[in-house]
Amino acid sequence: MPKNIKVTQREQSLEHVTQSVADLLANEEPLDYKSSSLNVGAPALKKVPQIEVPENDGRPAWNSKLQYILAQVGFSVGLGNVWRFPYLCQKNGGGAYLVPYFILLLIIGIPLFFMELAVGQKIRRGSIGVWNYVCPNLGGIGVSSLMVCGFVGLYYNVIIGWSIFYFFQSFQYPLPWSECPIRKNGTLAIVEPECDKSSATTYFWYRQTLNTTSTIAESGGLNVKMVLSLLVAWIIVCLAVIKGIASSGKVMYFSSLFPYVVLFCFLVRGLMLKGSVDGIAHMFTPKLEKMLEPKVWREAATQVFFALGLGFGGVIAFSSYNKIDNNCHFDAVLVSFINFFTSILATLVVFAVLGFKANLMNEKCVTENAEKIMGYLNSNILSHDLIPPHVNFSQLTTSDYAEVYGVIKTVKEGGFAQLGLEPCLLEDELNKAVQGTGLAFIAFTEAMTHFPASPFWSVMFFFMLINLGLGSMIGTMTGITTPVLDAYKVQKELLTVCCCIVAFLCGLLFVQRSGNYFVTMFDDYSAGLPLTIVVILENVSVTWIYGTKRFMQDLEDMLGFRPSMIYFYLWKYVSPLCLIVLITATVIEMGISPPGYNAWVQELAQERFQSYPPWALAMCFTLIIVAMLPLPIVFIARHFNLLSDGSNKLSVSYRKSMMKDISNLEEQDETRFILRPKPGELLSVPRRPYVTPAGNKSIDPNSLSPNSCYGAGYQNAAISPITPTTPPSPITPESDS
């Protein structure tokens, strides 16, 4: 029928036009579709004036784009960039490791980071609300993210507490870990045996800081110093996030930028140290054969994965406070490359300092072995004829020692082992892989004792660690509080304080004398596998359930341009395949490697690998199960309609999206207006072909399953038995194929 005839009929009709569906969905207040008058038996629909959807829906927003970028950088750049990336680079072929890392950053890191930024910005909700919107049956993704954030936050803040303890200990000269303590036994003064067998920095870490037990089974009681440090750490975190992004955004200006100041200062100072060039040359000397090892690629993928904070929910939570038209593609690329170059900068600093330390240790080795040789010469065990005439033992260089060592080894081939001489090779010192707490609290602290003005550099270093940890903790806490605040009417300040108190009480597990072993356990088992599964489900729910083409169209609507089609193939095929391979490799690695930890044995004054006792092993697997348990529970509960999908409390932006979707009906389809000719008659809305989550065929609204990936409330509005006045116009369904 021609449009003008339909319009004339409507104008001449005495029937009362109540309101359009688009106007109804634009209502500012949260709508409960289950009690809506669109349902059969509900009261008649009242006449409601049209309400414009405001640009600001009451959700907090970042004060500036810079503040938001710094927040994302602060969350993604953390302690792992300083003590994990350099270790992997050292372990996996130096400069050769950068090649697989950069490739995987491009094909996995940036696309998945972009995806999380986009869904958070589009839906303007935390992790739980986002995945309830994309697919309610997979709403457990958000809950699992929240669980992982909780586990990680518990032990991550303990590391900040350790840094706080070292920070305050640094205001002393000489530094308290610069020399071994002296034990007095009557008139005799002897060096502490445990310290003498290891080193001053190692002894200070294991005995005076942690006062650690020899096994995880020995609790040893609470370490009061660490309890106080943990309390201070949680107070700082609480104050930083108590006002939401209003407070955390301001903190990010300092906590995100200050570490770069320290890193640049350390780099300049490190390059002035003797032997620093040896360390940097070692870093950039590629061992290309390492690139052929699958383990290198697996560890590179894992590092990319965790470096960007994928799956934690913090990325989604931060982006949900953005304007809907923010260019999140630019943000994703910018933050990813800042993260990468920060890792390179931190690695340069670490290798410069390790090169300096390696030269010191090598010189110490040469001095100790030269004294042994002098003793053998004086006792006639070795002949003076073996020593080249140009060698001066009072000023023995590394090259001279290497020459003497080679001559003695050749001549005394049979009895050389009994002499106990060591080769003292600089390469061996540089190849000693140190990561995590060993790098920060032992290797770095030892190197800093040889710096001029060592307390100043120590204060700067540990203040940098506190800021790096704080930036990540703010993102982790936001990943916990934002979904809860979106789902429930809770006072933000009260929720934050309660979370911090509960976390501090739970964190007492990590400040026992055996707490260091529990930190290792949580680091190994609470996040790795669960987080990988969370991210692959995020990827699948967006690309294969919500629809890649549909998602690309959403991006075009938000950004004003269509992202490159390469993202289509990366999201749909490459990323899921890489994640499946990563999960498989992780499971195999867990099966092959015996579960255990490195325990500090006081009698031997060194670390020894020990297997977990049965109860600790059960605890390891419980962490994995608890983190992943929400996934099947929510799926089953929603599949059998035991749990609401939360769609009766939609955000304004969600309703605005639905309004836009309905308003896109063809202009001539005047039946999109709800007509009520007589009281008591059924309301009528047009039936519109629905696109399936796969996007390959249309579904009649009346055939929508209550378990499909749409909100149940939306379905109730769609499947009410109401009769259209005219047939719907044909709409071609989307296809991702």
Side-chain angles (χ1 to χ4, degrees), residues 159-178:
I159 301 173
I160 298 178
W162 294 341
S163 302
I164 290 172
F165 176 77
Y166 267 79
F167 172 75
F168 286 109
Q169 291 292 316
S170 299
F171 291 95
Q172 303 178 47
Y173 186 82
L175 291 171
W177 52 82
S178 60

Side-chain angles (χ1 to χ4, degrees), residues 263 544 645 657:
L263 285 174
W544 289 93
D645 61 11
S657 174

Side-chain angles (χ1 to χ4, degrees), residues 28-31 57-60 125 481-496 648-652 655:
E28 177 63 18
E29 295 300 322
L31 300 179
D57 57 4
R59 190 174 184 79
R125 279 292 180 266
T481 58
T482 298
V484 176
L485 291 171
D486 288 342
Y488 303 102
K489 299 290 185 181
V490 184
Q491 189 178 359
K492 187 183 304 177
E493 293 81 1
L494 179 62
L495 174 65
T496 303
N648 59 324
K649 294 181 180 180
L650 304 176
S651 68
V652 170
R655 297 197 303 272

Side-chain angles (χ1 to χ4, degrees), residues 300-596:
T302 304
Q303 179 62 18
V304 167
F305 187 76
F306 288 104
L308 295 175
L310 299 174
F312 281 95
V315 172
I316 293 175
F318 279 152
S319 65
S320 71
Y321 299 113
N322 268 332
K323 294 181 179 179
I324 193 68
D325 59 348
N326 173 64
N327 189 349
C328 54
H329 176 258
F330 171 80
D331 300 342
V333 175
L334 177 64
V335 174
S336 298
F337 278 101
I338 288 176
N339 187 290
F340 176 65
F341 289 118
T342 303
S343 297
I344 299 294
L345 175 62
T347 304
L348 287 171
V349 173
V350 168
F351 273 83
V353 174
L354 290 181
F356 167 66
K357 179 177 178 291
N359 274 269
L360 289 177
M361 298 304 293
N362 197 51
E363 289 176 0
K364 181 180 178 181
C365 177
V366 168
T367 302
E368 291 176 351
N369 283 272
E371 291 176 355
K372 289 182 181 180
I373 294 174
M374 289 291 292
Y376 294 144
L377 291 173
N378 295 333
S379 59
N380 294 323
I381 295 176
L382 293 177
S383 171
H384 286 272
D385 297 335
L386 298 178
I387 308 302
H390 65 276
V391 173
N392 182 4
F393 274 90
S394 62
Q395 295 180 346
L396 189 64
T397 64
T398 305
S399 58
D400 288 344
Y401 172 77
E403 185 178 353
V404 172
Y405 178 86
V407 171
I408 296 175
K409 185 176 182 180
T410 303
V411 174
K412 293 286 186 177
E413 184 176 355
F416 179 76
Q418 285 73 27
L419 298 177
L421 298 177
E422 297 177 3
C424 297
L425 297 176
L426 182 63
E427 188 73 13
D428 292 342
E429 291 293 335
L430 290 171
N431 282 328
K432 289 181 180 178
V434 183
Q435 69 160 325
T437 54
L439 175 65
F441 298 103
I442 298 176
F444 246 84
T445 52
E446 184 171 345
M448 283 186 294
T449 58
H450 301 281
F451 284 15
S454 55
F456 169 78
W457 293 104
S458 184
V459 167
M460 291 282 283
F461 177 72
F462 288 107
F463 195 40
M464 178 192 71
L465 290 188
I466 293 169
N467 278 273
L468 284 173
L470 181 61
S472 297
M473 274 302 299
I474 289 174
T476 302
M477 288 296 294
T478 305
I480 296 172
T481 58
T482 298
V484 176
L485 291 171
D486 288 342
Y488 303 102
K489 299 290 185 181
V490 184
Q491 189 178 359
K492 187 183 304 177
E493 293 81 1
L494 179 62
L495 174 65
T496 303
V497 172
C498 289
C499 285
C500 291
I501 292 174
V502 171
F504 169 72
L505 295 176
C506 294
L508 294 178
L509 172 70
F510 306 101
V511 289
Q512 306 173 91
R513 289 180 56 198
S514 60
N516 183 40
Y517 307 138
F518 288 99
V519 170
T520 302
M521 176 193 292
F522 272 65
D523 189 35
D524 290 340
Y525 291 94
S526 68
L529 184 61
L531 215 58
T532 313
I533 293 175
V534 163
V535 173
I536 193 173
L537 289 176
E538 288 181 358
N539 195 176
V540 169
S541 62
V542 169
T543 57
W544 289 93
I545 297 178
Y546 185 80
T548 315
K549 282 191 175 180
R550 185 179 176 190
F551 185 55
M552 294 285 280
Q553 183 60 50
D554 287 344
L555 291 174
E556 186 174 0
D557 294 340
M558 283 199 306
L559 306 178
F561 64 90
R562 195 171 187 85
S564 171
M565 282 302 294
I566 192 171
Y567 285 109
F568 179 94
Y569 298 104
L570 289 175
W571 282 326
K572 196 171 180 70
Y573 304 109
V574 178
S575 296
L577 179 62
C578 291
L579 290 171
I580 289 172
V581 172
L582 180 59
I583 289 174
T584 305
T586 303
V587 172
I588 293 174
E589 180 70 18
M590 290 175 62
I592 294 175
S593 302

Side-chain angles (χ1 to χ4, degrees), residues 137-338:
N137 283 353
L138 293 179
I141 295 174
V143 185
S144 284
S145 293
L146 191 147
M147 297 290 294
V148 172
C149 277
F151 288 148
V152 171
L154 287 178
Y155 76 84
Y156 203 88
N157 218 27
V158 175
I159 301 173
I160 298 178
W162 294 341
S163 302
I164 290 172
F165 176 77
Y166 267 79
F167 172 75
F168 286 109
Q169 291 292 316
S170 299
F171 291 95
Q172 303 178 47
Y173 186 82
L175 291 171
W177 52 82
S178 60
E179 295 178 354
C180 285
I182 304 298
R183 176 190 293 182
K184 291 185 178 180
N185 186 7
T187 58
L188 296 176
I190 60 173
V191 177
E192 177 65 42
E194 185 181 359
C195 183
D196 192 39
K197 292 178 183 178
S198 54
S199 68
T201 52
T202 304
Y203 176 82
F204 186 87
W205 168 241
Y206 282 111
R207 187 56 50 216
Q208 296 187 333
T209 301
L210 301 178
N211 194 19
T212 188
T213 58
S214 296
T215 66
I216 194 174
E218 301 175 37
S219 167
L222 292 175
N223 184 339
V224 178
K225 293 180 290 187
M226 292 300 100
V227 171
L228 294 177
S229 299
L230 181 64
L231 178 62
V232 173
W234 276 114
I235 290 174
I236 293 173
V237 170
C238 185
L239 293 176
V241 300
I242 194 167
K243 293 290 185 180
I245 63 171
S247 59
S248 62
K250 294 180 176 63
V251 173
M252 285 298 180
Y253 280 116
F254 185 81
S255 65
S256 296
L257 295 176
F258 180 74
Y260 290 97
V261 175
V262 178
L263 285 174
F264 276 111
C265 290
F266 261 96
L267 181 60
V268 173
R269 183 68 186 90
L271 291 175
M272 298 167 62
L273 297 172
K274 178 184 177 182
S276 61
V277 178
D278 295 326
I280 293 176
H282 179 76
M283 168 192 169
F284 283 106
T285 302
K287 300 173 184 176
L288 299 177
E289 66 277 4
K290 286 279 189 178
M291 290 178 58
L292 302 177
E293 298 180 11
K295 185 178 180 181
V296 174
W297 288 82
R298 180 182 68 81
E299 292 187 342
T302 304
Q303 179 62 18
V304 167
F305 187 76
F306 288 104
L308 295 175
L310 299 174
F312 281 95
V315 172
I316 293 175
F318 279 152
S319 65
S320 71
Y321 299 113
N322 268 332
K323 294 181 179 179
I324 193 68
D325 59 348
N326 173 64
N327 189 349
C328 54
H329 176 258
F330 171 80
D331 300 342
V333 175
L334 177 64
V335 174
S336 298
F337 278 101
I338 288 176

